[in-house]
Amino acid sequence: MFTFTFQLFSFLLLSTTATAQPYKATEILLLNCGSSSSAITSGRRWDGDENSKFVPSNIGTTSFSSQPSVQHPSVDQIPYATARIFNSFSFTYMFPVSQGPKFLRLYFYPATYYGLKADESFFSVSSNGYSLLTNFSASLTSSFLSKPSFVKEYIIYVKDTQILNVTFTPSPNSFAFINGIEIVSMPEKLYFKNKKIRFVGTYLGPVIDDYTGLENMYRLNVGGAQISGNDDTGMYRSWDPDGSYLFHSLMMGLTPVSQIPITYTTDTPNYTAPKLIYQTQRSMGNHSDQYIRTWRLPVDSGFWYMLRLHFCNLIPKYTIKGQMIFKLFINNRTAEDEVDVFFWTPGTGYPVFKDYVVFMNGIDGYGSKRDLWLSMLPNDQSQEYRDAYLNGLEIFKLNMTGNLSSPNPISSFTTPPEKPTSPIKLKKKTAPYVVIIGGVGGGIVWFSVLVLIVLWWRSGAVDKSWWGATSTESNSTNLPSDRCRCFTLKEVKLATDEFNENCVIGNGGFGKVYKGYIDNAKTIVAIKRLNQSSSQGVHEFRTEIAMLSKLRYLHLVTLIGYCDDNGEMVLVYEYMTHGTLREHLYNTNNPPLSWKTRLHICIGAAKGLHYLHTSGKRMIIHRDVKSTNILLDEKWVAKVSDFGLSKLGSKDPSQTHVSTLVKGSIGYIDPEYCKTKHLTDKSDVYSFGVVLFEVLCARPVILQHLSGDQVSLASWGKSCYRRGSLNEIIDPKLNGEIAHRSLMKFGEVANGCLHEEGSERPTMEDVVWGLEFALKLQEAADEAMPEN
Ligand SMILES: *[C@@H]1O[C@H](CO)[C@@H](O)[C@H](O)[C@H]1NC(C)=O
Ligand SMILES: *[C@@H]1O[C@H](CO)[C@@H](O)[C@H](O)[C@H]1NC(C)=O
Ligand SMILES: *[C@@H]1O[C@H](CO)[C@@H](O)[C@H](O)[C@H]1NC(C)=O
Ligand SMILES: *[C@@H]1O[C@H](CO)[C@@H](O)[C@H](O)[C@H]1NC(C)=O
Ligand SMILES: *[C@@H]1O[C@H](CO)[C@@H](O)[C@H](O)[C@H]1NC(C)=O
Ligand SMILES: *[C@@H]1O[C@H](CO)[C@@H](O)[C@H](O)[C@H]1NC(C)=O
Ligand SMILES: *[C@@H]1O[C@H](CO)[C@@H](O)[C@H](O)[C@H]1NC(C)=O
């Protein structure tokens, strides 16, 4: 029932707009990229590309769909509220269409998609052998145009193959995206097969034939208002006002809006341009002096351009030939010496257009932007009136060799260098001092602890890591974020000695992890190979690349690259010498970690999660925090890993959760998330609380053979903390090592993380702070009692 009404509705909408139009397009294809459903906007139906017949069947593995993290209010929902992202391979949309010229319109909204920033996106677009865009930056183009979203329009002559291909290819270490694709047919003779083109400044120039690729640069309703695609003649061309391109705008008069009926002719058929184009114009009035009217339009140098000028006399006092004659200049060269519209048309209200072709030299070097000049000036032969007028203007870039790409415009502003990440802003909380003083009654020992802490803070030592890795931290945060490399299968096989079993260092649900050597065996890496049979893994594989390739932080494991070749999916990480945190806690032959080392590891991991939650425009929720996803490098620096289940938080900052299927690992999953399906950053906080008890007690999070409360470490830890018996469950290997205050603080943090209600749990920043405090208490205690 719903589909029926939907279709009826769309039929009604489509048919009402279609009947009035002079040209009835044989093909109109509207693809809303990144969407799975159909939607109607301005009477036109856009289909999602998710299950579209125009996309390859492997769409899900070679691309993914996303939504802008924030959408500018002036940007239309359709097609800009979704995008398809291609982050490694070429992707081709294939449209079966009839032979003949087609408009191809590409809709771009440069925004942040899935944590991928559009200003880091460079890609190429080609179609039927035409190179439309090369290493194109939608972001730079958007700032050059001062428009948040924009449309690129091309005309492609589809030959007898009857296929229009559109291929997106990301530049190396980058990604491509597209929000919408539109294909509309046009009358054969509208722009092609016009024998009467005039060349400006040269006797010879290109002929526009079936092999010419055209890109529309401007389509202006001179002296008039914006005309939307729906008010075009059936080809959905939109026409912009010309005001911003006028050189001496004050001198440009507007002909009063006339109701003169427009009569099309065989030379100017009714689909050429809408009546509204011809019903408005800019004229000069009758001036004695030599006014020159000029439009300046920036274009890419190094190309030929076709200008189509639309004229129609609307001024009642001009009635016969010879009354009003003017000159036309393009780039200061004469295009027409004597324009008398009455020589070209039967009279007032009859439209006419003329095409001119001009070459734009690259004065400032190939590919730079240059102004194309169009000027009009009364001819001295014009006896009665000294005037000139223009009704419409279209400008196309041409290329016969099939390459329409130009370099990106230079950004008008320089993007500030990426803010160095200092995720841990140590709030100068005062409460803990009060607690200590109150709790100890100002005893001499605790007073000295306090002094130590204050000194510690003053010296800035809190920012320095105990392993002296401060320089690593600043280095790693300054790394360019697009360092994710694409490896070939050959390179990966070389690195792992053909996936030799002897290289296996781990085994997970995802597949095996190998130790490998890359760059002439200079660099050791961990290579995670996706199990061929794992279907869920493919999605997680892509999520991991999307998330991790843009993140660089000391406490997050670094993704060096990936390989997606010949059905093999492989992720390449920095090698973590000491493996997972779990391997150093229980069921292991590794020597036990000291309490302070454990605290440092917990603080590092907490900083990593805090960074995920707060450093981007949108929060990233890890969703699978556990002791096997905290890795340790050769200096015992903790790094959070495995982003396969990660989720971006809501675009709307006031919305604190995202609704999603419950995923995670048993024993660590936030019970509130299980109940409500609402995932928040506090779900990570909960899981991290479980890790804290794991670190303290060195036991598995679930022990089936135990009774009651003790099965789950989360509930057992909590109840012991509340009963004040925490010291009874700590790892026996830590006996006598933990200062009581440090233990209490640690227990308080862990217990807080496990609060039933997410809103009551601390933030990761609070957790970092609390753990650092526990460490300071421990160090102060060690100082005070050196015999310990
Ligand atoms: C456009 O012109 C064609 C041919 O002259 C004619 O058949 C058609 O009715 C016209 N359409 C409109 C909307 O004026
Ligand atoms: C379109 O792309 C398909 C698949 O890449 C290719 O087989 C075909 O030759 C292409 N057609 C044209 C006209 O470029
Ligand atoms: C792509 O363009 C950007 C900026 O215009 C430039 O920095 C980068 O080197 C270019 N990449 C390639 C592969 O040409
Ligand atoms: C137009 O201007 C010229 C020069 O100022 C003048 O000679 C002529 O009479 C004017 N024509 C009309 C119709 O006002
Ligand atoms: C046209 O002439 C003006 C003034 O002499 C000059 O500033 C401008 O650069 C010229 N334009 C072109 C395209 O040559
Ligand atoms: C086509 O574009 C190439 C640059 O890609 C340029 O070198 C060539 O001159 C152009 N040809 C024409 C006829 O515009
Ligand atoms: C098209 O021209 C651009 C320069 O603007 C160049 O970088 C690119 O390689 C060319 N593409 C082809 C397919 O020739």
Side-chain angles (χ1 to χ4, degrees):
M1 185 58 204
F2 171 75
T3 21
F4 169 72
T5 40
F6 175 79
Q7 279 170 357
L8 183 68
F9 179 59
S10 63
F11 172 75
L12 288 175
L13 280 171
L14 294 177
S15 54
T16 48
T17 48
T19 45
Q21 289 165 345
Y23 173 71
K24 187 137 181 43
T26 50
E27 274 134 354
I28 301 181
L29 301 173
L30 292 165
L31 211 53
N32 188 6
C33 301
S35 168
S36 54
S37 56
S38 298
I40 292 179
T41 181
S42 311
R44 298 210 290 163
R45 178 176 164 164
W46 291 76
D47 288 318
D49 69 348
E50 203 97 299
N51 303 305
S52 162
K53 57 184 184 228
F54 307 126
V55 301
S57 51
N58 64 345
I59 181 170
T61 58
T62 52
S63 72
F64 60 92
S65 50
S66 180
Q67 293 166 353
S69 55
V70 257
Q71 188 156 355
H72 196 277
S74 73
V75 172
D76 291 337
Q77 287 295 305
I78 296 169
Y80 298 114
T82 57
R84 182 155 299 282
I85 317 289
F86 318 104
N87 62 349
S88 37
F89 318 96
S90 283
F91 185 97
T92 300
Y93 289 91
M94 253 176 92
F95 302 94
V97 290
S98 62
Q99 185 171 352
K102 312 288 164 199
F103 283 111
L104 168 63
R105 302 196 178 106
L106 305 176
Y107 290 71
F108 294 107
Y109 175 39
T112 298
Y113 294 99
Y114 216 76
L116 302 171
K117 295 198 197 86
D119 57 9
E120 291 164 8
S121 159
F122 292 94
F123 56 97
S124 301
V125 182
S126 62
S127 176
N128 286 21
Y130 296 97
S131 182
L132 307 182
L133 297 165
T134 302
N135 192 34
F136 168 69
S137 165
S139 182
L140 290 173
T141 305
S142 155
S143 53
F144 177 78
L145 299 172
S146 311
K147 285 185 193 167
S149 62
F150 59 92
V151 181
K152 284 265 184 193
E153 184 192 276
Y154 299 90
I155 301 178
I156 307 284
Y157 198 99
V158 177
K159 312 254 169 52
D160 53 10
T161 56
Q162 304 202 341
I163 293 275
L164 183 65
N165 277 353
V166 186
T167 303
F168 294 83
T169 310
S171 293
N173 300 323
S174 190
F175 68 99
F177 73 95
I178 180 73
N179 300 86
I181 300 177
E182 176 182 0
I183 292 170
V184 180
S185 63
M186 72 180 83
E188 186 93 12
K189 288 188 180 149
L190 177 59
Y191 295 110
F192 288 82
K193 303 189 192 233
N194 180 355
K195 300 267 180 317
K196 285 179 265 172
I197 291 180
R198 285 139 211 257
F199 300 112
V200 180
T202 167
Y203 290 106
L204 280 176
V207 194
I208 298 183
D209 61 17
D210 303 355
Y211 294 94
T212 314
L214 280 82
E215 177 184 353
N216 180 259
M217 306 298 284
Y218 296 98
R219 186 172 283 122
L220 304 176
N221 180 16
V222 176
Q226 173 85 36
I227 298 178
S228 79
N230 279 330
D231 294 322
D232 188 39
T233 55
M235 288 164 271
Y236 301 96
R237 297 168 298 177
S238 69
W239 302 72
D240 298 323
D242 67 325
S244 43
Y245 307 106
L246 289 169
F247 188 28
H248 289 304
S249 54
L250 286 180
M251 292 181 192
M252 295 304 296
L254 287 175
T255 303
V257 176
S258 76
Q259 294 306 317
I260 289 173
I262 302 299
T263 316
Y264 292 96
T265 60
T266 41
D267 282 344
T268 312
N270 54 13
Y271 54 70
T272 308
K275 286 183 179 170
L276 284 168
I277 295 298
Y278 298 113
Q279 278 169 340
T280 59
Q281 64 179 191
R282 270 185 211 277
S283 63
M284 304 159 122
N286 185 25
H287 281 291
S288 53
D289 28 356
Q290 288 276 1
Y291 277 138
I292 301 179
R293 286 92 189 105
T294 299
W295 289 263
R296 291 201 310 188
L297 305 121
V299 294
D300 306 310
S301 62
F303 287 90
W304 290 91
Y305 287 88
M306 179 182 95
L307 291 84
R308 172 165 292 188
L309 276 59
H310 297 266
F311 304 99
C312 181
N313 185 48
L314 302 172
I315 300 171
K317 59 189 175 185
Y318 305 148
T319 53
I320 52 164
K321 289 174 184 168
Q323 272 178 310
M324 197 281 280
I325 307 170
F326 57 92
K327 295 183 187 184
L328 213 56
F329 297 93
I330 296 174
N331 282 347
N332 300 347
R333 289 172 180 267
T334 306
E336 295 279 356
D337 209 25
E338 297 183 357
V339 178
D340 183 339
V341 177
F342 281 94
F343 269 99
W344 290 342
T345 66
T348 295
Y350 286 91
V352 65
F353 66 86
K354 294 284 167 190
D355 292 343
Y356 304 89
V357 167
V358 64
F359 188 74
M360 291 299 289
N361 279 315
I363 292 174
D364 312 319
Y366 170 77
S368 56
K369 290 275 177 192
R370 260 193 79 199
D371 284 340
L372 195 160
W373 290 54
L374 171 66
S375 318
M376 300 188 308
L377 164 88
N379 188 309
D380 290 335
Q381 312 292 313
S382 193
Q383 304 289 316
E384 247 178 286
Y385 297 99
R386 301 185 55 76
D387 198 357
Y389 57 74
L390 181 67
N391 298 59
L393 173 65
E394 290 173 88
I395 298 184
F396 294 92
K397 186 196 225 181
L398 312 177
N399 194 283
M400 272 45 65
T401 59
N403 192 340
L404 288 162
S405 334
S406 292
N408 289 312
I410 310 294
S411 178
S412 47
F413 55 92
T414 45
T415 33
E418 202 143 301
K419 195 178 77 193
T421 38
S422 55
I424 310 307
K425 292 165 252 82
L426 269 171
K427 281 190 206 149
K428 302 283 184 204
K429 288 188 185 174
T430 49
Y433 298 97
V434 178
V435 170
I436 291 168
I437 293 166
V440 184
I444 186 73
V445 173
W446 284 102
F447 178 71
S448 61
V449 170
L450 184 59
V451 168
L452 269 170
I453 290 167
V454 171
L455 286 177
W456 183 291
W457 245 299
R458 285 266 172 83
S459 70
V462 278
D463 281 335
K464 290 193 188 113
S465 307
W466 60 291
W467 49 81
T470 328
S471 59
T472 326
E473 179 155 46
S474 56
N475 279 346
S476 68
T477 52
N478 286 339
L479 285 172
S481 50
D482 58 349
R483 277 185 61 223
C484 193
R485 276 164 65 177
C486 180
F487 290 88
T488 62
L489 185 55
K490 208 175 137 204
E491 286 174 86
V492 174
K493 282 187 170 168
L494 197 67
T496 57
D497 190 18
E498 308 272 341
F499 298 110
N500 191 324
E501 284 300 309
N502 294 335
C503 299
V504 174
I505 52 171
N507 218 328
F510 178 100
K512 284 179 179 161
V513 183
Y514 299 80
K515 183 176 179 179
Y517 298 85
I518 60 165
D519 298 334
N520 295 322
K522 281 204 292 281
T523 312
I524 309 178
V525 292
I527 292 179
K528 216 178 191 184
R529 181 192 196 189
L530 177 66
N531 222 328
Q532 304 271 14
S533 58
S534 158
S535 57
Q536 178 57 34
V538 177
H539 177 75
E540 295 180 18
F541 176 83
R542 307 234 161 241
T543 308
E544 177 115 4
I545 295 173
M547 293 283 184
L548 208 45
S549 62
K550 299 292 161 188
L551 294 172
R552 286 290 184 271
Y553 179 55
L554 175 64
H555 296 294
L556 299 180
V557 73
T558 304
L559 181 68
I560 294 172
Y562 63 93
C563 162
D564 195 341
D565 191 358
N566 238 317
E568 281 285 356
M569 294 191 171
V570 163
L571 294 167
V572 182
Y573 300 90
E574 60 175 324
Y575 180 69
M576 302 296 279
T577 315
H578 289 301
T580 70
L581 170 59
R582 166 99 43 101
E583 289 167 57
H584 299 275
L585 293 177
Y586 49 85
N587 300 341
T588 176
N589 296 324
N590 288 322
L593 300 172
S594 74
W595 176 237
K596 275 195 274 187
T597 304
R598 294 185 201 203
L599 283 173
H600 279 294
I601 290 167
C602 292
I603 291 166
K607 284 181 176 179
L609 290 172
H610 173 60
Y611 180 83
L612 282 184
H613 290 173
T614 57
S615 68
K617 277 206 198 97
R618 277 169 79 184
M619 164 189 299
I620 296 172
I621 302 170
H622 186 283
R623 239 189 351 163
D624 201 13
V625 176
K626 53 181 175 183
S627 56
T628 47
N629 281 341
I630 295 169
L631 304 180
L632 302 167
D633 75 8
E634 79 278 12
K635 290 174 182 159
W636 299 97
V637 179
K639 304 193 182 218
V640 177
S641 80
D642 209 330
F643 292 76
L645 292 184
S646 298
K647 261 315 229 206
L648 278 180
S650 172
K651 280 184 278 184
D652 175 3
S654 65
Q655 174 126 354
T656 55
H657 72 264
V658 284
S659 293
T660 169
L661 285 177
V662 177
K663 287 191 182 160
S665 297
I666 293 170
Y668 294 93
I669 303 178
D670 169 13
E672 194 186 49
Y673 167 40
C674 274
K675 264 185 261 148
T676 62
K677 314 268 181 294
H678 288 174
L679 179 69
T680 70
D681 52 335
K682 297 299 180 65
S683 308
D684 282 351
V685 173
Y686 182 94
S687 308
F688 191 72
V690 181
V691 172
L692 291 180
F693 275 123
E694 235 186 320
V695 167
L696 182 67
C697 310
R699 61 152 267 193
V701 293
I702 299 286
L703 278 176
Q704 295 291 357
H705 66 271
L706 295 181
S707 59
D709 241 354
Q710 300 191 26
V711 175
S712 150
L713 178 59
S715 49
W716 183 231
K718 246 182 339 188
S719 75
C720 290
Y721 172 77
R722 286 171 195 175
R723 285 203 311 267
S725 59
L726 206 51
N727 54 344
E728 291 169 31
I729 63 162
I730 61 175
D731 182 359
K733 290 169 186 141
L734 290 172
N735 265 343
E737 202 188 323
I738 312 181
H740 180 69
R741 297 253 157 197
S742 179
L743 178 61
M744 286 300 106
K745 185 71 204 170
F746 189 87
E748 178 197 316
V749 173
N751 181 60
C753 290
L754 297 177
H755 203 286
E756 270 79 13
E757 284 167 61
S759 57
E760 295 298 311
R761 295 175 202 148
T763 63
M764 282 317 297
E765 184 178 9
D766 297 329
V767 172
V768 170
W769 192 90
L771 293 173
E772 283 183 328
F773 200 75
L775 176 63
K776 272 166 232 134
L777 291 172
Q778 182 65 40
E779 292 182 319
D782 293 350
E783 286 275 332
M785 290 163 272
E787 70 275 14
N788 257 1

